[in-house]
Amino acid sequence: GAATWLATGLTIEESQITLSRDVKRLGKHPTDTQLLRVARFQDKLHTHITSFLEMASTYLGVEVDVEVDDPDYYSDLDNDLDPDLDIHDTSIFQPELTVLPLPSNIGEVRCKELGLTNLMKEETTLREGQANDALHAIRVHLGDKAVIFRNTVWSAKSQASSTRVWTRVRSVETAVNLKASIYSKCWSQLAKLPDHDLLKKYLPLKKEDLKASSAVADPNARGQRDTTLPWFWSLDVQGDTSGNDWMAEFYRVNWLRTKALHDHWNEEVILVKHEMQWSINFFNHRAKQWLSHMDSATSAGLTGHTCYAARQSHIYQQLAAHAEDSFQKIIGLPEVSVGTFHGTG
């Protein structure tokens, strides 16, 4: 049905992103083997696109020519690609640049004219699943990267073993960047679809979000007390820990760190409230001290000393009153909910 056809389109779109990255990675002087591999991938992708386009009229009702004016249509978060690298023209056709006639590419206005409202809703649902899959893969790969650093990078004793380890690290980074590109594409397409609020849940990915957490690699490293995970780690995506013990440990370590941070700031709130009262008590104490000095000066007939002591006592009384008023305003503000922590089992 229509859902299967749309899902096929999303799969082709992911293949296009993968192929586009492979073409960029060829460099200025690719080998014959590299060119042959890309050519085969292009031919296979071209076959899938042709089959997809043949079925398009069945679900769209008419043949639709899609033109995209967005210059960032195929942009992604490539950390491992040289932006100044020349893209080698491996063939006269480039199926990775073909724009598929999906509702998000056709446009809201045109879709409504063609009566494709339900098709837009189905694509929105599929895009949500695609975003979840991409974020799940990103989280698993980042967890694997942290474990590689913990178990192998820091323990590598020779240049040969270090080279092999860093090859694994770069392989994981490539996988992370690919999934980030797919997610970014999915996010941009969701932005074109109407009648949903998914962009409040799914935020744009930034390069700094793709750094592996050192919580597992070195839980006791200095400077990590206030470090928090990027936003997508808090999404409720099922399956992250299934069949992956390291992901369970990754979540456990970060949960403990976050709980410790939560408890720390709860203690800070308690201490600050006490410090507020201590400040008021100090001002009142100093006001009473100067009143005592004033009484002593009055008994001794020292008029100047009496006036000075009275002035100092008044100043501290004003400070106490101002502090109490200011603190009451702050304490009266609604507290920000930081959530309730539950054990991970």
Side-chain angles (χ1 to χ4, degrees):
T4 303
W5 178 74
L6 288 172
T8 302
L10 268 58
T11 302
I12 292 174
E13 190 178 79
E14 293 181 6
S15 299
Q16 288 179 309
I17 294 173
T18 302
L19 177 57
S20 179
R21 291 171 55 84
D22 288 344
V23 171
K24 289 179 181 179
R25 203 174 285 107
L26 286 177
K28 297 179 180 180
H29 305 289
T31 64
D32 291 339
T33 302
Q34 290 175 321
L35 290 175
L36 179 60
R37 177 180 175 275
V38 169
R40 287 175 175 172
F41 197 172
Q42 286 180 322
D43 185 61
K44 183 178 179 180
L45 180 59
H46 182 265
T47 301
H48 291 323
I49 293 176
T50 300
S51 176
F52 179 81
L53 295 177
E54 289 175 352
M55 296 292 294
S57 59
T58 303
Y59 302 103
L60 301 179
V62 295
E63 292 186 4
V64 179
D65 293 329
V66 182
E67 295 182 1
V68 177
D69 297 326
D70 184 3
D72 298 326
Y73 181 77
Y74 285 105
S75 65
D76 49 42
L77 297 172
D78 285 341
N79 293 334
D80 55 344
L81 299 181
D82 184 355
D84 298 326
L85 198 62
D86 291 338
I87 299 177
H88 190 87
D89 186 9
T90 57
S91 63
I92 58 175
F93 71 98
Q94 294 176 299
E96 67 272 18
L97 301 182
T98 301
V99 181
L100 304 178
L102 295 168
S104 55
N105 290 330
I106 296 173
E108 179 183 358
V109 175
R110 181 61 173 153
C111 282
K112 289 183 177 179
E113 291 176 354
L114 297 174
L116 303 177
T117 304
N118 290 333
L119 208 60
M120 286 192 292
K121 293 180 180 179
E122 290 189 32
E123 183 181 355
T124 300
T125 302
L126 291 173
R127 291 287 182 185
E128 182 179 8
Q130 184 184 36
N132 285 335
D133 291 343
L135 292 177
H136 164 71
I138 289 173
R139 299 200 298 199
V140 170
H141 288 314
L142 289 179
D144 289 342
K145 184 178 177 181
V147 172
I148 291 174
F149 271 100
R150 174 179 175 173
N151 289 351
T152 54
V153 171
W154 293 349
S155 61
K157 302 299 183 182
S158 64
Q159 183 175 355
S161 60
S162 178
T163 301
R164 288 194 297 270
V165 169
W166 280 105
T167 300
R168 289 180 59 192
V169 171
R170 284 190 289 271
S171 176
V172 173
E173 288 177 345
T174 299
V176 169
N177 290 329
L178 173 59
K179 294 301 180 180
S181 299
I182 291 173
Y183 173 83
S184 296
K185 175 64 178 176
C186 175
W187 187 89
S188 65
Q189 296 302 101
L190 273 174
K192 301 175 185 178
L193 294 168
D195 303 326
H196 68 83
D197 57 354
L198 293 176
L199 297 186
K200 295 180 181 179
K201 176 182 178 182
Y202 301 101
L203 306 179
L205 274 182
K206 300 178 181 178
K207 290 184 178 180
E208 53 265 28
D209 294 336
L210 304 180
K211 295 180 180 179
S213 171
S214 58
V216 171
D218 188 5
N220 298 318
R222 297 180 61 182
Q224 297 190 82
R225 185 180 66 181
D226 296 327
T227 303
T228 56
L229 292 173
W231 60 270
F232 55 82
W233 288 97
S234 61
L235 287 181
D236 184 17
V237 178
Q238 300 296 324
D240 277 358
T241 58
S242 59
N244 193 325
D245 293 337
W246 278 116
M247 280 303 295
E249 180 173 348
F250 185 86
Y251 277 120
R252 189 177 299 112
V253 170
N254 280 282
W255 183 89
L256 290 172
R257 286 179 54 193
T258 305
K259 185 180 185 301
L261 186 62
H262 170 267
D263 293 342
H264 167 75
W265 283 111
N266 276 340
E267 293 170 0
E268 285 292 327
V269 170
I270 295 173
L271 288 174
V272 167
K273 288 182 178 180
H274 282 293
E275 288 171 356
M276 290 177 177
Q277 188 58 50
W278 295 337
S279 299
I280 296 172
N281 293 344
F282 171 76
F283 292 142
N284 285 329
H285 173 69
R286 293 293 290 172
K288 290 179 180 179
Q289 279 187 324
W290 282 107
L291 280 176
S292 177
H293 294 327
M294 184 187 71
D295 292 339
S296 300
T298 301
S299 300
L302 302 174
T303 306
H305 290 67
T306 301
C307 292
Y308 179 78
R311 180 174 179 272
Q312 289 297 107
S313 176
H314 180 66
I315 289 175
Y316 278 107
Q317 286 174 354
Q318 286 186 318
L319 287 172
H322 176 70
E324 185 172 8
D325 180 64
S326 299
F327 295 156
Q328 286 298 328
K329 289 179 180 178
I330 294 175
I331 294 175
L333 293 175
E335 294 186 3
V336 178
S337 174
V338 292
T340 304
F341 288 87
H342 301 284
T344 56

